[in-house]
Amino acid sequence: MSVRWIWAESHVSIMGSFLPKPEFQSHICDNKVKRGEDIVFRCEANTDQLQTTWEKDGQMLYDGDRVSISQRGKVLSLMISKAKEEDEGKYTITLRNDTGTASESASVSLLQFDRDWRTIEWGKSVSVKRSLQEYKLSGQGPKHLRFLLHGPVGAGKSSIINSINSIFQDQVKMGALAATSSEFSFTKVYKTWQIKDMQTGLLPFVFSDIMGLEMGDYQGIHTDDIISILKGLIKENYKFNLFPLSKEDTKGYNNSPTLDDKVHCLVNVLSAKSINLMEENNNVFKKMREVREHASDIGIPQVVFMTHVDLACPLVKDNLKNIYSSKIIKKRMQECSNKLGVPMNCIFPVKNYHEEIHLNDNVNCLILNALKQAIGFADDYVSNCNSKSDFVVNNFSE
């Protein structure tokens, strides 16, 4: 009896030595899928002598309906057909046998909503462009509306100017030189760019390009200089320095700014591909919020042009018309709104021309609709300023 018991224990021990503890040889990966696509998790274990369970958010999954679980030798898989909103979540696979267990998790997220959360009339860029061509300022007011672009280095400020100019020139243009690196600012001087239309000539709105914001307190443009530009206190072609401009610099300081010199709309430029990586206490955000507060104090309207949308979301990269059904783009906009304090309806996702050699109507639609909204805000601001001096401003045609 005793001998048998010893033999049985020895047999189990010997047999157990051939049963390895479960481990993953390859791993499951996060799934980012379009609505209606299949969700697939696949991995490989180090042995086929095991039991497998799958869970979603802690709830066990079983074969049936849209769920298919399979094990072929060491290869394990889970497939969920025709992805829906309810499929988003955390998925966990657990391997177990008599020697132990191993688990790992991955997530599923959908790239799009059921319907667009903001509407845009695709294919209408020509009519929007015409309305901007017909926009006029009249009376004793400013000769043009001035937009100041500011934001982090590499966000695409100069590319926005080039893209707008390209649309009205009917061909891709490179006027404002854009940096190919996001480390240091390419723009060194205060420069104003006028937009020229092929049919009507110079349009009554201009864009002021400035040095980009950088992380360090003494890197990039100083916030005091941006605030001075808002007030029209800095002259054209002023070269930015380590320290802000003072009144003593007679070459760069404008002692008697007119409404023409002042900024009529502040355009914050941020990249959709990097805003989620920037902490709220990031020094660039601190600088941007400081500028925003001063702009608000003097009544200047503010918008955000969110660039690089095609680099932030594969759904948008495939088709720009997916931009307002993209969950990633809306999330980036919400992050921007939270970190910068700009309302969602003042944030406009756009794609600049940066590698294209031909114009694209969908790109034009996004840029022109964003521009038209910004012009509307600037128009209201100038109207309020003019009303104090009995000036009259005519709105652009619809």
Side-chain angles (χ1 to χ4, degrees), residues 208 265 325 353 382:
S208 295
C265 182
S325 64
Y353 288 109
V382 170

Side-chain angles (χ1 to χ4, degrees), residues 301-349:
Q302 300 149 48
V303 297
V304 174
F305 282 9
M306 179 171 284
T307 60
H308 303 146
V309 291
D310 54 321
L311 302 180
C313 176
L315 187 72
V316 175
K317 187 172 184 178
D318 288 344
N319 186 347
L320 202 56
K321 289 184 177 181
N322 291 326
I323 193 164
Y324 288 130
S325 64
S326 166
K327 298 184 75 173
I328 292 177
I329 296 303
K330 188 170 187 180
K331 184 178 180 181
R332 297 290 188 270
M333 291 172 64
Q334 289 170 333
E335 289 172 330
C336 174
S337 178
N338 295 336
K339 294 175 180 178
L340 198 56
V342 178
M344 285 284 284
N345 60 4
C346 294
I347 302 175
F348 304 99

Side-chain angles (χ1 to χ4, degrees), residues 149 156-166 169 172-180 185-195 206-211 236 352-354:
L149 303 172
K157 299 180 295 299
S158 298
S159 293
I160 285 176
I161 297 172
N162 291 333
S163 297
I164 293 172
N165 200 36
S166 297
Q169 288 282 301
V172 176
K173 291 286 187 179
M174 184 64 68
L177 296 179
T180 56
S185 179
F186 193 83
T187 305
K188 304 297 183 184
V189 299
Y190 177 49
K191 176 73 174 177
T192 297
W193 296 90
Q194 287 190 289
I195 304 301
V206 299
F207 292 85
S208 295
D209 194 16
I210 59 175
M211 197 174 187
E236 185 78 3
N352 289 330
Y353 288 109
H354 62 98

